Amino acid sequence: MGVDAAVPLPKSLKEFGDEKYWDDFFRASKGQAFEWYGSWADLPQLLQLHCGLRPDQQPPLQILVVGCGNSALSAHMYDAGFTSIVNVDFNRRVITEMLRLHVRARPLMRWLVMDITALQFAESSFDVVVDKGSLDALTGEPEEPLTAAISLLSEVKRVLRPGGQYVCVTLAQKHVIGVLLETLRQGWEICLHQVSEASRDPSSPLQPFLVVATKTNSADIPLVTLLTGDVPHANSLVDVVNEENKLRSEARNAGYKTSLKPDEKEVESKLQDIYEQLHPGRRNTVVLGGHYPAVVMDAKPHSASPTYRSAVFLVPKGRAHEWLFSSEEGQWQVLESAQAGRLILVMLDTHQYPGSLSAVQDELSPLVKQLLPLDCRDAPNVPYMTTNDGLYRRTVVEEIESPMTGTIQVEDVVLDADKSSGNKVGNQNCFRRLVFRRNPNLIQSDASLVLVKGPSKDKDRPSTVREAGRRHGSGKKKGKAKDSSNSIKQDSAEEFKVDHSHLVSKYHEAMIVGLSLIAENLEQAVTKVQIRALVVGLGAGLLPMFLHNHLPIDHIQVVELDGVIGDVAKRQFGFVENDRMQLHVGDGIEAVYSIARLSTHISKNTVGTLKLANDLSGVHCNERTIKTEGKLHILFIDADSQDPSNGLSCPPAEFLEEPFLHAASDALVEGGILAINVVSRAAAPHVTSVEMLRKVFEEVYDLEIDEDVNRVLLALPQKSPAEHSPGGLQAAASTLGKLAARFNSWGNGPSLKDAIRTLKRLK
């Protein structure tokens, strides 16, 4: 193992959960791999020997490595042919370093900053979860709380697919194995392997074990298998396993059969017993009828008196991945809104269940009955609830891998039309979406599709807008953006294109409406100087395209960290580059710092050149440069964060720190504006964001949008002429509208006068 004297070893096991300790540790290791339990270079062979896993399996195995650190384990697996690997660790320093080391030699491997006790992946996302020492580190000393370890194992249970395997390298201490066996009990086949001497790293004095836990669909409680030999603490391990098997045998004898799936009546009887009474705060996941995932929740203690004793909420097809329905916090919000004592949240699948909601309800009624409180099981009218914007159909039109972002999906969705007609498909019903698999609960971009060529008479409704993304469209044009939208051909009878005048995302609308605060400044500047804007974060390119098409901005620069996203935006969403708008692959923070530095020294007739720096991941930046002729009038920050540990989904925390905000203020002209999209499920990051902006800027505004987690903050380095002039904000919105109208049609753009009413200054 070779411990360098400079590498700090923990004084106690508690330090394993301290990010500062790991910062010091990885800084001292100077990029060298540190193997606590030995290198395990032959783990790929052990996966085949003990798990039956092969690198040539099709489709490729999706592997998650939790708490990856700077171990070479993932590289060994990748080089052995297991290339679909996602590595996560809560330490940003080590993830940045590992991405830099491997992005070129192992481009398919992903590295994400993430809390392994609260993974940002959808259920059933992986075939294998590999854990080398993380469970040991989180479990700590025998007398310490087991909360973190149980959270990790719960996340493993959630993200593994049925038949998937949790492969854990552990020292197999009694309290560690105890919590593992207790948490992975029903429906888990577990085998503990003593690894042969030949498979262990001789430089490591430790004796790790290999635990393989296989997730099954069975309600059975299989006995634990222990394959061990002459190991110093094997006796205590045998005792733990024997005690666990005794408990499992008793549970099986009480109601479960050894090798047979429980009888349906037996299962129903058990479920009825479990759910007879309300248990405040309880939340369980179940599968109804073999294919309806569901969550059963009882209102938390001290909740308001429920309107309904129990209710069923049907999550519309294609929306189960959204935060509101997939996260525990969101689900509790649904229960609160439903005003039910018990809510059964049922996920409807887009592809399997094309029937009407009434048909689904008929199928669910007998299945749901067993989950109702005892006094509701004979009630004739248990309320069924849903939202009114479910999907008729969702089709993935392209899926592409990025070394930086991971899997990127483009999907076309058709919303349910007016049920009385059954065939309405038009401007407000068809959408193209950009989704990152690392955060499936968040739609990154949502574009409205318009029908430009109607369906033939013999078709009642189009099947979907599925075909366009499979072809790398060639109809893109530069120059006037009103001609630049990709045409999306359904077939010879139907053709769609992105409507760049319709901002589907409310926060995009809010950022545009916020420009009313500087409308008077823009009107005065438009005939005198060149108006400049910088957008950090491209997404599908919808926000910069709106700026390009509908406002008289002379230079629009867009900075995006991931070049793959730029390709997708052009290919699938009609984003264009021309003399007025350019895309640069690089670090948005460095771009703003550089503009701030240069613009303070640029005279009126001087043109400075800014070359974007290499981003921290080591991905080479685009060689083109940003031309600057002074400061910015508009600075939009619309970047998502890969690190959810601070509670922020957007933007990365560095964009809300005081040094960056000072740079942003320096980069703006006196009459300029900064707009930041802040996304957080918690209230604290929103409060902190406002406090930081108020430290730096003269005025800070908030524009209310109909989303719980999004907040658009607008900051000005000087007082806004809008709020302090005759007519106030309404007059400012009118000025912005007139300025835009002289440039181009507003199309389906936001209603400025209506939206401006929700703008408020934060004092």
Side-chain angles (χ1 to χ4, degrees):
M1 184 164 57
V3 180
D4 190 318
V7 176
L9 296 178
K11 298 181 179 66
S12 69
L13 291 178
K14 286 184 178 179
E15 287 197 291
F16 280 130
D18 183 357
E19 187 170 5
K20 183 180 183 304
Y21 165 75
W22 288 111
D23 266 338
D24 295 340
F25 178 90
F26 291 126
R27 186 183 297 109
S29 66
K30 299 178 180 178
Q32 297 298 312
F34 189 88
E35 308 290 356
W36 292 92
Y37 295 174
S39 67
W40 284 69
D42 60 349
L43 181 62
Q45 290 73 42
L46 296 177
L47 291 177
Q48 185 165 346
L49 176 64
H50 298 305
C51 309
L53 304 177
R54 304 186 317 276
D56 58 350
Q57 287 182 224
Q58 293 297 329
L61 292 170
Q62 301 299 313
I63 300 174
L64 173 67
V65 179
V66 293
C68 60
N70 64 357
S71 170
L73 176 66
S74 299
H76 293 319
M77 295 175 62
Y78 190 99
D79 295 343
F82 295 99
T83 56
S84 296
I85 301 175
V86 179
N87 301 276
V88 297
D89 198 289
F90 76 155
N91 188 273
R92 175 182 290 275
R93 179 183 296 275
V94 74
I95 288 294
T96 300
E97 178 64 17
M98 295 301 279
L99 178 59
R100 184 188 66 79
L101 288 174
H102 297 288
V103 69
R104 291 184 177 86
R106 301 173 180 90
L108 300 181
M109 193 152 56
R110 296 166 56 195
W111 303 88
L112 302 176
V113 178
M114 196 174 294
D115 180 356
I116 63 174
T117 66
L119 295 170
Q120 302 295 305
F121 300 111
E123 293 184 9
S124 303
S125 295
F126 296 95
D127 301 296
V128 182
V129 175
V130 176
D131 171 357
K132 183 186 172 191
S134 292
L135 181 63
D136 289 0
L138 291 179
T139 306
E141 303 286 359
E143 67 276 6
E144 292 179 6
L146 298 172
T147 306
I150 293 173
S151 296
L152 168 60
L153 293 170
S154 298
E155 287 296 88
V156 169
K157 292 167 64 175
R158 185 179 65 82
V159 302
L160 269 180
R161 295 168 180 157
Q165 294 178 306
Y166 174 48
V167 180
C168 179
V169 179
T170 171
L171 295 181
Q173 292 176 287
K174 182 176 179 179
H175 64 296
V176 176
I177 292 299
V179 70
L180 185 151
L181 297 180
E182 182 179 346
T183 307
L184 306 182
R185 185 169 282 163
Q186 184 174 336
W188 287 83
E189 297 175 352
I190 299 177
C191 185
L192 284 76
H193 301 268
Q194 177 196 351
V195 179
S196 67
E197 193 72 26
S199 296
R200 292 196 292 115
D201 188 331
S203 67
S204 173
L206 303 175
Q207 172 61 68
F209 281 74
L210 185 69
V211 178
V212 179
T214 304
K215 180 179 179 179
T216 74
N217 277 325
S218 172
D220 194 10
I221 305 180
L223 298 182
V224 179
T225 302
L226 175 60
L227 302 176
T228 184
D230 184 18
V231 181
H233 67 286
N235 289 338
S236 63
L237 189 57
V238 170
D239 291 341
V240 173
V241 172
N242 287 343
E243 188 173 339
E244 174 68 18
N245 280 339
K246 181 180 178 181
L247 291 173
R248 293 183 178 224
S249 296
E250 291 173 356
R252 290 159 61 138
N253 293 335
Y256 292 96
K257 309 303 179 185
T258 300
S259 59
L260 299 177
K261 193 172 181 179
D263 183 79
E264 290 182 4
K265 291 183 179 179
E266 185 180 359
V267 173
E268 182 176 342
S269 174
K270 289 181 181 295
L271 286 172
Q272 289 176 345
D273 293 342
I274 292 171
Y275 293 107
E276 280 185 355
Q277 304 296 327
L278 294 177
H279 293 272
R282 179 174 63 180
R283 176 186 175 276
N284 289 335
T285 57
V286 297
V287 178
L288 299 176
H291 51 233
Y292 288 106
V295 182
V296 184
M297 297 180 292
D298 291 346
K300 293 182 177 180
H302 313 301
S303 297
S305 298
T307 303
Y308 306 101
R309 173 78 168 162
S310 60
V312 180
F313 191 100
L314 303 179
V315 178
K317 294 177 289 185
R319 296 194 60 190
H321 69 285
E322 296 179 13
W323 173 82
L324 188 64
F325 304 118
S326 65
S327 69
E328 287 193 28
E329 186 178 349
Q331 291 167 357
W332 286 115
Q333 288 186 16
V334 174
L335 181 144
E336 186 177 344
S337 299
Q339 301 180 11
R342 172 173 295 168
L343 187 68
I344 303 169
L345 201 70
V346 183
M347 315 295 175
L348 305 184
D349 185 89
T350 302
H351 303 291
Q352 289 180 295
Y353 313 111
S356 66
L357 287 179
S358 60
V360 172
Q361 183 174 336
D362 290 342
E363 182 182 355
L364 283 175
S365 292
L367 303 174
V368 164
K369 183 177 180 180
Q370 61 192 346
L371 303 178
L372 299 175
L374 188 60
D375 56 354
C376 296
R377 291 177 183 171
D378 295 324
N381 295 314
V382 174
Y384 276 70
M385 307 173 180
T386 189
T387 61
N388 60 3
D389 57 349
L391 301 180
Y392 172 71
R393 189 163 293 146
R394 177 176 68 91
T395 304
V396 176
V397 296
E398 182 176 6
E399 186 171 287
I400 187 169
E401 291 293 329
S402 162
M404 183 170 296
T405 304
T407 303
I408 300 172
Q409 278 189 340
V410 178
E411 58 186 35
D412 283 348
V413 299
V414 181
L415 298 186
D416 281 332
D418 186 349
K419 292 179 175 59
S420 62
S421 63
N423 62 357
K424 179 184 176 184
V425 175
N427 184 31
Q428 301 301 312
N429 299 84
C430 302
F431 297 88
R432 173 156 289 186
R433 290 175 172 173
L434 180 69
V435 179
F436 298 162
R437 186 175 287 175
R438 75 179 185 214
N439 193 357
N441 305 329
L442 179 67
I443 297 172
Q444 299 292 330
S445 298
D446 211 353
S448 177
L449 299 179
V450 290
L451 186 65
V452 294
K453 186 177 181 181
S456 59
K457 295 181 179 180
D458 61 345
K459 289 191 177 182
D460 292 330
R461 96 148 77 199
S463 59
T464 181
V465 287
R466 63 180 176 272
E467 292 301 329
R470 298 199 180 108
R471 300 186 321 276
H472 293 189
S474 58
K476 296 174 284 184
K477 298 181 181 179
K478 296 185 178 181
K480 292 185 178 179
K482 62 183 179 181
D483 298 324
S484 65
S485 300
N486 274 2
S487 291
I488 300 168
K489 292 185 178 181
Q490 167 96 356
D491 52 33
S492 59
E494 298 160 357
E495 188 175 333
F496 293 82
K497 71 174 183 179
V498 173
D499 179 4
H500 286 117
S501 74
H502 180 198
L503 293 172
V504 178
S505 298
K506 294 300 181 184
Y507 78 89
H508 277 170
E509 284 194 350
M511 295 174 103
I512 295 299
V513 172
L515 296 180
S516 300
L517 290 169
I518 63 165
E520 184 178 319
N521 297 337
L522 292 176
E523 187 175 45
Q524 294 173 2
V526 71
T527 58
K528 300 177 182 178
V529 298
Q530 292 191 329
I531 297 177
R532 294 169 296 280
L534 176 66
V535 181
V536 177
L538 174 67
L542 305 174
L543 182 60
M545 283 298 294
F546 189 93
L547 290 174
H548 177 273
N549 290 1
H550 300 287
L551 289 166
I553 302 174
D554 298 283
H555 296 291
I556 303 169
Q557 309 292 340
V558 187
V559 181
E560 169 57 50
L561 199 58
D562 189 347
V564 175
I565 292 176
D567 296 336
V568 172
K570 294 174 183 177
R571 187 164 62 244
Q572 300 291 0
F573 294 89
F575 177 76
V576 299
E577 293 186 84
N578 53 33
D579 292 341
R580 289 180 54 222
M581 183 159 67
Q582 294 88 41
L583 170 65
H584 305 270
V585 178
D587 188 341
I589 291 178
E590 179 60 29
V592 172
Y593 273 115
S594 299
I595 292 174
R597 287 194 299 265
L598 288 174
S599 61
T600 56
H601 303 292
I602 292 177
S603 64
K604 183 176 180 181
N605 297 319
T606 301
V607 177
T609 299
L610 162 65
K611 181 178 179 181
L612 290 175
N614 284 355
D615 64 272
L616 291 176
S617 70
V619 178
H620 191 64
C621 294
N622 194 307
E623 289 294 340
R624 287 178 297 173
T625 57
I626 293 179
K627 293 181 180 178
T628 64
E629 296 177 354
K631 298 188 177 186
L632 302 168
H633 294 79
I634 299 165
L635 174 55
F636 281 170
I637 307 298
D638 185 21
D640 80 313
S641 173
Q642 296 187 27
D643 179 10
S645 61
N646 54 20
L648 277 171
S649 297
C650 297
E654 294 88 340
F655 285 94
L656 292 167
E657 293 175 355
E658 193 169 345
F660 173 80
L661 295 177
H662 277 294
S665 179
D666 291 341
L668 290 171
V669 300
E670 188 173 324
I673 188 170
L674 165 69
I676 304 182
N677 176 38
V678 180
V679 182
S680 176
R681 303 172 189 173
H686 289 292
V687 174
T688 304
S689 301
V690 172
E691 290 175 350
M692 294 304 298
L693 284 165
R694 290 176 64 189
K695 281 185 178 181
V696 177
F697 289 86
E698 178 75 20
E699 291 186 345
V700 179
Y701 293 80
D702 180 14
L703 204 150
E704 181 182 327
I705 52 180
D706 296 329
E707 297 177 12
D708 294 329
V709 297
N710 279 75
R711 189 177 188 183
V712 172
L713 298 177
L714 306 157
L716 289 78
Q718 74 299 311
K719 290 184 178 181
S720 167
E723 192 177 36
H724 308 284
S725 61
L729 295 176
Q730 284 293 325
S734 177
T735 299
L736 182 63
K738 292 176 182 177
L739 185 67
R742 290 195 295 268
F743 177 73
N744 199 359
S745 167
W746 194 245
N748 292 312
S751 173
L752 297 173
K753 289 188 176 182
D754 289 340
I756 201 71
R757 294 191 179 100
T758 64
L759 184 71
K760 60 181 180 181
R761 182 182 172 191
L762 302 175
K763 300 179 180 179

